[in-house]
């Protein structure tokens, strides 16, 4: 029989794609965001889908599977968006704004207590380990008989077929014997040029935030990565990877100096999806949604958010294969 998997906080489905490529049958995927749920349903029609708040879910209603993959919310662990981790005494009182968001990780323990999976894989940002309740969380899994292994993996270094993006993430593996091979073999990195469309963009006719970077480009006709961040430098796209693709996703751009002058454009959502390992055939649902931030109206691209929040497909595949090997493969 083929090994089966549950995907919690499945989002747009990067983890499910990787697990499927590793030979797993994803029996059930659960998420709280209807838009991401529609995306997952469109691409994984044979998977059972649950739209639910997983912090308030009875996991006895879920089918039993061999493996659990979970990507609990990272919003209030990550440093992006100007967020800072509150002092430990504040976290322990659950008094700060992000306490409920961080507690989504406890759904992993709740599901594992019910189904006693053969293996559990948890993905999050590296700052997850600085959570004041992280040790308690590990002890909860240990109380269920699991031994843990922790790895910080960069998606650009995981082969075969590494993605063209530097993306370091925390991965926690829980098994009964703690013996999953996590040794990373050296692999040739994939340059960003491999996932870029040939479009050089529009002529630069006005001063841009990245104009100082564009002015540093000395190789004509070569696409360069320019980043809407302070102190960034242009990088040849045929030699470097993208910086981490994020849910905001508005800082990656491409610039090319041509005989007619400089050209510039932002990355497309399809290019960002390729940087996460999604095939071009993958369908994303969503639209630009108006929101009010600090009294101002702006738009959030739901597709871009799903791509930035996704698990890199190649890492999910790599981990899935190693877990499958540790469990004895298909059975």
């Amino acid at each position: 029989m083929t090994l089966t998997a549950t995907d919690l906080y499945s989002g747009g489905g990067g983890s499910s794609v990787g697990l499927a490529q590793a030979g797993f049958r994803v029996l059930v995927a659960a998420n709280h965001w209807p838009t991401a749920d529609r995306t997952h349903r469109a691409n994984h029609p044979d998977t059972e889908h649950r739209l639910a708040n997983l912090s308030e879910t009875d996991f006895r209603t879920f089918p039993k599977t061999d493996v659990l993959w979970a990507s609990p919310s990272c919003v209030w662990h990550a440093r992006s968006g100007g967020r800072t981790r509150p002092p430990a005494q504040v976290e322990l009182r659950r008094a700060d704004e992000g306490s409920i968001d961080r507690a989504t990780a406890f759904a992993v323990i709740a599901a594992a207590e019910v189904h006693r999976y053969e293996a559990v894989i948890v993905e999050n940002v590296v700052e997850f380990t600085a959570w004041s309740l992280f040790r308690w969380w590990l002890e909860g899994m240990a109380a269920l008989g699991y031994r843990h292994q922790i790895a910080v993996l960069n998606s650009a270094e995981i082969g075969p077929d590494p993605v063209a993006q530097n993306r370091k993430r925390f991965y926690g593996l829980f098994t009964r014997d703690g013996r999953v091979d996590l040794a990373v073999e050296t692999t040739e990195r994939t340059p960003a040029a491999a996932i870029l469309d040939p479009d050089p963009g529009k002529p630069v006719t006005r001063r841009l935030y990245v104009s100082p970077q564009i002015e540093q480009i000395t190789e004509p006709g070569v696409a360069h990565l320019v980043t809407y961040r302070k102190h960034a430098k242009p990088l040849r796209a045929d030699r470097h990877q993208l910086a981490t693709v994020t849910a905001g996703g508005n800082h990656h751009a491409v610039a090319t100096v041509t005989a007619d002058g400089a050209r510039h454009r932002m990355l497309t959502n399809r290019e960002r999806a390729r940087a996460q390992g999604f095939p071009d055939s993958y369908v994303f649902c969503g639209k630009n949604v108006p929101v009010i931030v600090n009294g101002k109206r702006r738009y959030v691209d739901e597709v871009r958010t799903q791509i930035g929040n996704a698990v890199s497909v190649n890492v999910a595949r790599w981990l899935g294969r190693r877990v499958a090997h540790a469990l004895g493969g298909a059975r």
Side-chain angles (χ1 to χ4, degrees):
M1 294 177 61
T2 301
L3 289 171
T4 57
T6 296
D7 193 349
L8 298 186
Y9 303 103
S10 53
S15 46
S16 290
V17 174
L19 289 173
Q21 291 178 357
F24 284 84
R25 181 186 174 197
V26 181
L27 289 188
V28 59
N31 193 49
H32 61 283
W33 186 20
T35 301
D37 179 71
R38 289 199 301 273
T39 292
H40 203 286
R41 288 173 184 268
N43 295 279
H44 304 272
D46 295 329
T47 296
E48 178 185 349
H49 290 84
R50 303 286 185 95
L51 183 63
N53 177 352
L54 296 178
S55 295
E56 301 175 355
T57 294
D58 182 353
F59 288 103
R60 293 174 299 178
T61 67
F62 278 56
K64 182 175 179 59
T65 61
D66 299 302
V67 171
L68 168 67
W69 181 291
S71 299
S73 180
C74 67
V75 173
W76 284 93
H77 293 294
R79 291 172 293 180
S80 59
R83 301 181 186 89
T84 57
R85 189 166 64 93
Q89 63 270 25
V90 174
E91 266 193 77
L92 292 173
R93 289 201 308 267
R94 298 176 61 85
D96 72 291
E97 187 176 353
S99 58
I100 295 177
D101 185 87
R102 287 188 293 270
T104 55
F106 286 110
V108 177
I109 298 176
E113 181 181 16
V114 171
H115 292 292
R116 307 287 172 153
Y117 305 99
E118 294 297 317
V120 176
I121 308 171
V122 178
E123 179 266 355
N124 213 293
V125 293
V126 176
E127 293 86 354
F128 181 63
T129 60
W131 180 30
S132 62
L133 300 183
F134 180 69
R135 279 290 147 196
W136 289 7
W137 181 73
L138 288 180
E139 290 172 3
M141 293 298 288
L144 297 178
Y146 291 102
R147 296 177 62 184
H148 70 270
Q149 296 171 263
I150 293 175
V152 174
L153 303 176
N154 184 349
S155 301
E157 299 173 347
I158 304 301
D161 301 323
V163 296
Q165 170 199 184
N166 282 299
R167 186 185 190 87
K168 290 185 178 181
R169 288 293 184 266
F170 159 94
Y171 296 92
L173 276 76
F174 300 86
T175 55
R176 302 299 174 187
D177 57 11
R179 294 182 181 179
V180 177
D181 180 9
L182 297 180
V184 177
E185 299 178 355
T186 302
T187 185
E188 184 176 351
R189 292 193 174 201
T190 301
I195 57 99
L196 297 179
D197 292 324
D199 177 17
K202 297 180 179 179
V204 177
T205 57
R206 59 186 176 85
R207 192 72 177 173
L208 302 172
Y209 185 91
V210 293
S211 289
Q213 295 179 56
I214 296 176
E215 293 165 1
Q216 296 177 44
I217 298 175
T218 58
E219 302 94 339
V222 178
H224 282 69
L225 305 173
V226 293
T227 310
Y228 278 72
R229 287 175 173 167
K230 290 183 179 179
H231 312 303
K233 295 182 178 181
L235 300 173
R236 285 183 57 138
D238 59 351
R239 296 179 181 173
H240 295 86
Q241 292 73 43
L242 296 176
T244 303
V245 173
T246 65
N250 59 357
H251 58 277
H252 290 100
V254 180
T256 307
V257 175
T258 69
D260 299 324
R263 290 178 172 268
H264 163 273
R265 68 174 177 84
M266 303 302 293
L267 260 66
T268 66
N269 279 341
R270 182 52 62 187
E271 290 169 327
R272 293 186 179 94
R274 291 174 193 151
Q276 288 280 49
F278 287 101
D280 282 359
S281 59
Y282 206 81
V283 177
F284 287 95
C285 302
K287 57 186 179 180
N288 288 332
V289 178
V291 297
I292 303 298
V293 179
N294 296 327
K296 296 182 179 180
R297 182 188 181 94
R298 68 182 183 91
Y299 287 85
V300 173
D301 184 340
E302 293 180 321
V303 171
R304 187 174 299 175
T305 299
Q306 292 173 71
I307 294 170
N309 284 336
V311 174
S312 294
V313 171
N314 66 314
V315 182
R317 179 179 63 239
W318 187 86
L319 287 169
R321 286 175 175 170
R322 275 153 180 73
V323 168
H325 179 76
L327 298 181
R331 57 188 182 185

